[in-house]
């Protein structure tokens, strides 16, 4: 039993690889949050992570590679959309999570958005992550239809979710407004009222395209 | 009549100052749109503008100063919110202008948003400009109330305007979705339906805060 991949868990390729990745990505998040995207360097990350520079270069190549992996790692977290029993409650809970992630100081979410303006790779990774998250949240709309909270005609779930969440990003990230504790619920309620009035019905959209 | 301030219009302090400012700000916009915020240098701007470096340094001090002045200049344009005869029409027209400014390649609007993540000065100038624009647009809501398109109780105009416009910024700037020609009208209509259902009524908000 001298095979190092089986004797010491830490030295198995998977174990060590996963550990190094966790250390490096934690360091990227800390550096990003502290110094922003411009302050992010391969050397700074290696030093903070306590990992050899050459390992970081070999595995992530450049700062863009580090950013992509941080975003991909966020996508690997076993996140579940809220399930509160009502669409308004679910969207409010979702918006509260979003508000929290944008308001916390320093905010990794905002740092990644800033970085994605400057790194095409990071932008693509972020677009993928957001697409996944919105797709995961479509179940909120399906559940609301099952409960009879939404009109019977098919609802464009993604548009509803964008309408519910966009004001949070717009106010907090782009307009840099002070956080408003009522905003998560108000934005959720606005989307629910619009949905009840048929704003996101697919039938309406089909007619529009004809 | 040897006073240079009266003989040649170009040499009057106001005239020359204004001309140099226009040249420099045009150069900043061109550089930003071509090379983004990271590519913006005092030297590059001076060269492109055909203005002496020392003039640029003396008047704008640094890249942050240039960004602030570009944003302030945008605020000086005599922009008028649309007036189409209906709230839905006005918000659609507003959203079409926003979509156009975000989709045009290269987009100065997106370049300035990117820059504002990295320059506190630019962020403040942009926040001011947006506050002014949203305040200017409140007349759309006032006109809609006068026409009887909105419920009689007072409407929170700013929240309505944010709800109507936020999906454009979210989809095009943050989610990097392909432009959807129907989005300006859909987002406008969603906000109008929500408003008609009382989503932005001030009475509701007061109760909420109690």
């Amino acid at each position: 039993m001298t095979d190092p991949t089986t004797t010491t868990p830490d030295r198995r390729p998977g174990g060590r690889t996963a550990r190094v990745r966790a250390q490096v990505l934690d360091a990227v998040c800390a550096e990003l949050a502290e110094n922003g995207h411009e302050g992010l360097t391969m050397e700074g990350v290696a030093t903070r992570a306590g990992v050899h520079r050459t390992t970081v270069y070999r595995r992530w190549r450049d700062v863009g590679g580090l950013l992509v992996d941080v975003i991909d790692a966020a996508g690997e977290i076993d996140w579940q959309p809220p399930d509160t029993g009502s669409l308004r409650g679910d969207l409010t809970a979702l918006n509260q999570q979003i508000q929290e992630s944008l308001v916390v100081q320093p905010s990794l979410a905002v740092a990644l958005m800033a970085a994605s303006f400057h790194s095409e790779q990071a932008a693509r990774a972020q677009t993928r992550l957001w697409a996944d998250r919105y797709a995961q949240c479509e179940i909120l709309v399906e559940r609301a239809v099952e409960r009879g909270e939404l009109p019977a005609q098919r609802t464009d779930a993604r548009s509803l979710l964008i309408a519910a969440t966009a004001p949070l990003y717009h106010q907090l990230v782009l307009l840099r407004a002070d956080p408003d504790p009522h905003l998560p619920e108000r934005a959720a309620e606005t989307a629910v009222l619009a949905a009840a009035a048929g704003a996101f019905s697919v039938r309406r959209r089909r007619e529009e395209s004809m």
Side-chain angles (χ1 to χ4, degrees), chain A:
Chain A
M1 292 275 281
T2 53
D3 180 356
T5 64
T6 55
T7 44
T8 339
D10 263 7
R11 296 185 66 192
R12 282 179 305 169
R16 182 166 194 281
T17 303
R19 185 165 48 81
V20 167
R21 183 181 182 222
Q23 283 169 292
V24 167
L25 296 190
D26 282 353
V28 174
C29 293
E31 292 277 306
L32 261 185
E34 259 178 38
N35 311 316
H37 172 247
E38 294 103 328
L40 195 67
T41 62
M42 300 295 273
E43 282 73 15
V45 167
T47 305
R48 189 188 276 257
V51 169
H52 205 283
R53 265 165 33 111
T54 52
T55 307
V56 179
Y57 276 103
R58 196 174 54 236
R59 180 132 170 226
W60 287 275
R61 227 177 43 124
D62 55 22
V63 164
L66 288 171
L67 289 170
V68 168
D69 208 26
V70 164
I71 296 167
D72 285 349
E76 290 158 19
I77 291 168
D78 183 30
W79 181 81
Q80 291 295 325
D83 188 3
T84 65
S86 75
L87 181 59
R88 181 180 162 158
D90 287 353
L91 294 173
T92 300
L94 179 64
N95 276 350
Q96 277 161 344
Q97 289 183 20
I98 293 172
Q99 174 141 307
E100 210 170 301
S101 76
L102 299 176
V103 161
V104 63
Q105 288 289 348
S107 164
L108 176 64
V110 173
L112 286 174
M113 277 180 243
S116 71
F117 279 103
H118 300 284
S119 158
E120 194 48 51
Q121 274 181 290
R124 275 198 303 270
Q126 187 157 65
T127 301
R128 269 200 312 272
L129 174 59
W130 252 321
D132 287 351
R133 286 283 192 257
Y134 278 111
Q136 271 182 285
C137 285
E138 293 193 4
I139 194 161
L140 305 192
V141 176
E142 287 161 29
R143 284 196 221 119
V145 171
E146 279 165 25
R147 283 188 300 252
E149 290 180 69
L150 288 180
Q153 68 260 45
R154 226 158 72 65
T155 299
D156 177 351
R158 188 169 192 275
S159 294
L160 190 161
L161 293 164
I162 299 274
T165 56
L168 280 284
Y169 292 101
H170 195 50
Q171 290 269 31
L172 295 169
V173 181
L174 297 180
L175 304 186
R176 293 178 180 76
D178 289 331
D180 170 355
H182 295 300
L183 183 59
E185 186 170 13
R186 280 179 188 167
E189 193 189 357
T190 298
V192 171
L193 288 171
F200 310 108
S201 95
V202 173
R203 188 183 48 70
R204 182 193 292 267
R205 307 238 150 146
R206 284 225 193 82
E207 281 161 10
E208 197 183 70
S209 314
M210 290 194 311

